[in-house]
Amino acid sequence: MESLSCEQLEERMASLHRASVDLVKESSLDALLKRIAEEACRQARARYAAVGVLGENGALEQFVPVGMLPEDIAKMPHPPRGLGLIGELMRADEPMRLPDIGSDPRSAGFPKHHPQMNSFLGVPILYGGEHLGQIYITNKIDGGEFTEADEQIIQTFAAYAATAIRNAKLYAKLVENEAALTQKNRNLALINDLAAALASSTDIDQILERSIHQVLESLQLEVGEVYLIQGDSKRLSLVHHQ
């Protein structure tokens, strides 16, 4: 285990606490995942880090890397698919620490244009018994391998991250539900307005003009047309354009 003085350990724990407090202030999941990856990189003194989040089906739903330039990420043929060590960690409840990725038989290798990576530390993000995702860290800056102290720090950090991710997901769900409810209310208001228009006149042209105006205004559209079946014909004919 890495030998740390009392002062060094105190400083690392204080830094971890400050970072963890900041996490719960972030309500955007995308911004939160990037922040987790950046802080994990800093805490473990690594060059690269990433956070993977699992969907409801247990598959890798989001993968947010840091340490690589956007143009380098764009060159790679596809995002991680949950194979190799990533897949192993997705099914694990304990951290995984390796001196060299390539020498481990579980490694699936790297896609084209992927940077060379050697030392590895992976920690699952667990909320109660639920597996929310994983933190991946590679390439210790000093060229060595990650230590037991690094593992303990990131494992503690992952526990804070789990709460922050859970909160961000709940917040996103609330926003989604609120938006759906607002849209339902708008739809009901539109139906009521259309019903009022239909009952206000017996002039078909006037009814169509009022109705399409209300639809365009409600849906924020610029052009609309109404087609009706004429008599016994099965063909539609344009009767109103606005």
Side-chain angles (χ1 to χ4, degrees):
M1 180 176 175
E2 179 183 12
S3 177
L4 297 175
S5 68
C6 291
E7 291 78 9
Q8 288 173 320
L9 181 59
E10 184 177 340
E11 174 55 33
R12 289 192 74 171
M13 294 306 296
S15 174
L16 180 64
H17 175 71
R18 289 192 297 269
S20 302
V21 169
D22 286 340
L23 287 185
V24 297
K25 300 176 183 177
E26 187 62 68
S27 59
S28 165
L29 183 58
D30 290 338
L32 172 64
L33 297 180
K34 183 178 180 183
R35 196 163 189 168
I36 291 171
E38 290 173 340
E39 186 59 33
C41 221
R42 191 177 73 84
Q43 289 288 339
R45 301 179 181 88
R47 182 172 181 184
Y48 304 109
V51 176
V53 174
L54 304 182
E56 294 181 359
N57 61 354
L60 193 61
E61 184 176 71
Q62 289 176 272
F63 191 87
V64 179
V66 297
M68 298 174 59
L69 295 175
E71 51 267 35
D72 293 333
I73 296 174
K75 290 178 184 177
M76 287 187 280
H78 57 77
R81 296 171 175 170
L83 305 176
L85 293 174
I86 290 179
E88 288 289 328
L89 194 61
M90 286 168 58
R91 297 182 289 271
D93 293 330
E94 297 295 331
M96 183 184 303
R97 183 160 47 94
L98 303 171
D100 181 59
I101 295 175
S103 61
D104 192 283
R106 297 168 294 182
S107 175
F110 302 111
K112 190 176 181 181
H113 302 299
H114 196 284
Q116 183 62 37
M117 294 182 175
N118 39 65
S119 51
F120 175 84
L121 174 61
V123 176
I125 301 173
L126 305 173
Y127 185 86
E130 184 182 1
H131 199 146
L132 298 182
Q134 311 81 29
I135 297 175
Y136 309 95
I137 307 168
T138 62
N139 291 30
K140 187 81 168 173
I141 287 178
D142 63 10
E145 60 183 274
F146 295 104
T147 65
E148 187 176 345
D150 292 326
E151 181 180 318
Q152 291 176 348
I153 287 289
I154 300 304
Q155 195 169 14
T156 302
F157 183 58
Y160 287 108
T163 301
I165 291 173
R166 183 73 171 180
N167 290 344
K169 283 190 169 186
L170 289 174
Y171 178 77
K173 192 67 176 177
L174 287 173
V175 171
E176 181 183 338
N177 290 342
E178 184 178 354
L181 181 60
T182 300
Q183 186 58 50
K184 285 181 180 179
N185 290 336
R186 287 175 180 167
N187 293 343
L188 288 173
L190 175 58
I191 292 172
N192 288 335
D193 290 343
L194 291 175
L198 291 173
S200 65
S201 174
T202 57
D203 185 328
I204 184 67
D205 291 330
Q206 189 178 61
I207 290 173
L208 292 177
E209 183 178 354
R210 289 180 181 176
S211 298
I212 198 169
H213 173 75
Q214 288 168 343
V215 170
L216 293 177
E217 188 177 64
S218 176
L219 300 181
Q220 297 183 339
L221 300 174
E222 295 183 358
V223 179
E225 294 178 334
V226 179
Y227 290 78
L228 296 178
I229 295 176
Q230 302 294 331
D232 295 332
S233 171
K234 293 183 178 180
R235 300 184 63 181
L236 292 170
S237 298
L238 175 64
V239 295
H240 188 79
H241 170 92
Q242 184 171 315

